Amino acid sequence: MADQIQKVIIAGGSGLIGKALSKHLSEKGYEVSILSRNPKKILSYNAFYWNPEKMEMDEKAIQDQDIVINLAGESIAAKYWTRKRKKQLIDSRVKPIELLQNALAKTENKPEKIISASAIGYYGNRPGEKLDEYAPPGKGFMSEICKRWEKAADNLAEPVIKLRIGIVLTAKGGYLPQMQKILKKGFNVILGSGKQRVSWIHMKDLIAAIEFLLLNEETEGVYNLTTPNSVDTYEMQVQIAKTIGKTPIKFRIPSKPIKVLMGDFSELFLNDQNIYPERLLKTGFSFKYANLNDALQ
């Protein structure tokens, strides 16, 4: 990487991961810009207008950027998956990439690196398998989203780095505080067998891994961003309960009624995924929070 200040623009910079990444890269000396529907609300960084739904974007945004990072996409767990919601989830991932593709096609000075988010939902429900980046895609709606997401990203540039991100653990939002809130009520509700493997990553390791991939000139293609040490659902919830000083009463709901009541939405709770970050480790990345106990301290 050159000695001069690197310019990076982030789509999805206002989300949970985007905020943490923007802050980290800014503190490391990068010149950070954010793509936003409301640029005037972005006070800490440069901001440029874009609106993927309308396929509108400030054409100056991508000019002379060294790095483009795409984290755009609506929360997959925020609402029940109706047919309309499924379309929204796909569009919120594919349309931003199409808009970036259009802008990049008009840009003379192409970025040195392009990173685009995906998720471990790509692998579907795979009990008993250890899944590295070379494993084929699975089945189900989450896998379908990720396949479309990554196919769109392949049109951005060659090469493009694709990040298959696991459950992100941070006290600032997302899975961890939501689970703590549920467990505070005194019940540890186990959906399905409780033996489904959960693949996760601490936010600090996630941000460090993204920067690591930026700095390494050899990196390209797909990377699993999870720790090497998945845990089962029950163990995850027991360990999180300890962080709030609780020993909730265990209450199990079998898989069958969950699938009947929730349909495809049950994938969020029942999918079994033991993901291994083979390529990230081989490239030389070292996890600071490789084990769940360390991550929850």
Side-chain angles (χ1 to χ4, degrees):
M1 184 170 282
D3 292 334
Q4 66 186 34
I5 294 175
Q6 293 284 295
K7 298 174 69 175
V8 55
I9 190 161
I10 302 175
S14 299
L16 184 66
I17 296 172
K19 287 179 180 177
L21 182 61
S22 299
K23 183 175 184 293
H24 176 82
L25 293 179
S26 180
E27 290 173 349
K28 287 285 188 172
Y30 291 82
E31 183 180 324
V32 176
S33 297
I34 305 293
L35 286 168
S36 173
R37 291 173 181 81
N38 299 292
K40 292 181 180 178
K41 292 185 178 181
I42 307 297
L43 303 178
S44 301
Y45 311 102
N46 299 326
F48 296 91
Y49 170 76
W50 85 331
N51 188 321
E53 288 83 6
K54 297 180 179 180
M55 293 299 285
E56 296 175 348
M57 182 174 175
D58 184 341
E59 293 186 0
K60 297 190 296 294
I62 304 296
Q63 295 291 336
D64 300 318
Q65 296 288 347
D66 299 300
I67 301 160
V68 175
I69 300 176
N70 171 45
L71 302 173
E74 293 186 20
S75 170
I76 199 164
K79 297 178 183 178
Y80 187 77
W81 296 347
T82 61
R83 184 178 297 179
K84 180 180 178 181
R85 180 59 179 168
K86 286 182 176 181
K87 185 177 186 304
Q88 288 174 341
L89 290 171
I90 292 172
D91 287 349
S92 73
R93 287 158 172 77
V94 173
K95 283 189 174 182
I97 294 176
E98 291 175 346
L99 187 52
L100 286 172
Q101 181 185 357
N102 292 343
L104 287 165
K106 301 173 184 177
T107 303
E108 291 185 10
N109 298 322
K110 306 297 184 186
E112 297 172 10
K113 285 213 171 185
I114 298 178
I115 290 182
S116 191
S118 182
I120 60 172
Y122 175 90
Y123 300 105
N125 182 35
R126 308 284 279 277
E129 296 184 54
K130 185 177 180 180
L131 303 163
D132 62 19
E133 292 87 348
Y134 304 101
K139 297 179 181 179
F141 179 63
M142 291 175 69
S143 180
E144 184 62 29
I145 286 179
C146 293
K147 286 186 287 185
R148 294 196 192 187
W149 204 357
E150 293 186 16
K151 184 177 180 180
D154 286 335
N155 294 324
L156 285 175
E158 189 63 46
V160 60
I161 297 172
K162 293 176 285 188
L163 312 176
R164 291 181 185 154
I165 302 172
I167 290 176
V168 180
L169 298 182
T170 171
K172 294 185 177 181
Y175 180 87
L176 180 57
Q178 289 175 1
M179 187 57 65
Q180 288 171 328
K181 183 178 179 180
I182 293 169
L183 292 168
K184 280 180 181 178
K185 297 179 180 179
F187 291 94
N188 189 354
V189 181
I190 307 300
L191 302 179
S193 68
K195 296 180 181 179
Q196 307 97 299
R197 301 303 289 182
V198 179
S199 293
W200 58 275
I201 187 169
H202 192 283
M203 178 68 87
K204 289 184 179 178
D205 275 337
L206 173 62
I207 300 306
I210 294 174
E211 185 186 17
F212 175 84
L213 294 172
L214 287 179
L215 291 171
N216 191 320
E217 295 181 0
E218 303 296 321
T219 52
E220 62 178 278
V222 174
Y223 292 85
N224 289 335
L225 265 55
T226 67
T227 76
N229 303 307
S230 65
V231 296
D232 65 44
T233 302
Y234 179 62
E235 179 64 18
M236 171 72 85
Q237 292 176 202
V238 167
Q239 293 301 320
I240 292 176
K242 289 179 180 179
T243 68
I244 54 174
K246 289 281 187 179
T247 307
I249 298 170
K250 182 180 177 181
F251 181 73
R252 180 174 171 266
I253 303 176
S255 300
K256 190 172 181 178
I258 296 170
K259 291 178 180 179
V260 171
L261 290 170
M262 294 186 175
D264 291 344
F265 196 61
S266 64
E267 292 179 30
L268 279 174
F269 313 104
L270 300 179
N271 273 5
D272 187 326
Q273 298 179 316
N274 180 18
I275 311 301
Y276 190 74
E278 177 77 17
R279 297 194 67 221
L280 192 62
L281 292 173
K282 279 192 173 181
T283 307
F285 182 77
S286 178
F287 287 87
K288 185 176 181 180
Y289 303 94
N291 298 302
L292 185 60
N293 287 340
D294 296 332
L296 295 176
Q297 294 299 318

